Amino acid sequence: ISLGRCPLTDDALNEGLKPFKARGTLCRLALAATPITDAALGAVADIESLADLDLSQTAVSDEGIQMLRRCKRLSGLNIVGTKLTDRGVADLASFPALYALRIGDSNVTPEGLSALRDSKTLRYLGLSQRDFDPDAVERLRKELPRVEIQWSRN
């Protein structure tokens, strides 16, 4: 389901997702550029079938990311332009199926991204962080040898 740019509220999303929790049929959910916050992620995390989630350009923070740990099948996550910090990145390393992660335009540092070395499943990291320097990205590539890192300064 693509709900990007819809004027959703946390309550409306929570209510609208109820049928999908029961059926277990929702695999992809795009909430990019919506006004949702961490308060909506409890309902999102209850969808056991969810494999791909786009939260880019939302007000989601570290607290919301913690809730998403319940998504055991979540393999793709886009969190570009969120309120994520290094603390939230450390939580992402423990996601059991996370394969592809897009992150950027946030308060994450190259040092914080190093926590992803603890991930057993991550294989792709898309970075769009303007303030990273090339040396920091190169160090990250060495720390995460199993992960393909694509970096954009746009």
Side-chain angles (χ1 to χ4, degrees):
I1 295 176
S2 180
L3 299 172
R5 303 195 187 285
C6 290
L8 290 172
T9 64
D10 292 334
D11 290 338
L13 183 61
N14 286 333
E15 191 63 32
L17 290 177
K18 284 181 181 177
F20 294 102
K21 285 188 257 184
R23 289 190 194 117
T25 57
L26 183 61
C27 295
R28 290 190 169 156
L29 182 59
L31 299 169
T34 61
I36 65 156
T37 67
D38 294 335
L41 293 187
V44 171
D46 288 338
I47 302 171
E48 293 180 13
S49 58
L50 191 63
D52 190 62
L53 180 60
D54 184 351
L55 296 171
S56 60
Q57 307 304 320
T58 64
V60 169
S61 71
D62 299 337
E63 287 73 27
I65 294 300
Q66 285 179 337
M67 285 184 248
L68 292 178
R69 262 192 266 176
R70 297 193 321 248
C71 295
K72 301 298 182 199
R73 295 182 183 162
L74 188 64
S75 60
L77 181 61
N78 184 341
I79 46 178
V80 171
T82 61
K83 296 181 177 183
L84 193 74
T85 69
D86 291 347
R87 189 175 61 122
V89 172
D91 285 330
L92 290 170
S94 68
F95 281 38
L98 190 61
Y99 183 87
L101 176 64
R102 292 199 45 79
I103 192 169
D105 298 331
S106 63
N107 293 317
V108 173
T109 66
E111 293 77 21
L113 288 171
S114 294
L116 294 173
R117 70 181 165 272
D118 296 332
S119 173
K120 294 176 180 19
T121 57
L122 189 68
R123 295 298 177 264
Y124 173 82
L125 177 62
L127 291 174
S128 56
Q129 196 78 11
R130 293 182 192 111
D131 57 349
F132 283 7
D133 68 75
D135 291 336
V137 174
E138 201 50 45
R139 279 191 304 276
L140 190 59
R141 284 188 172 116
K142 289 177 182 171
E143 290 178 17
L144 305 172
R146 296 182 315 241
V147 180
E148 175 189 346
I149 299 176
Q150 291 187 348
W151 177 47
S152 168
R153 295 178 98 169
N154 297 341

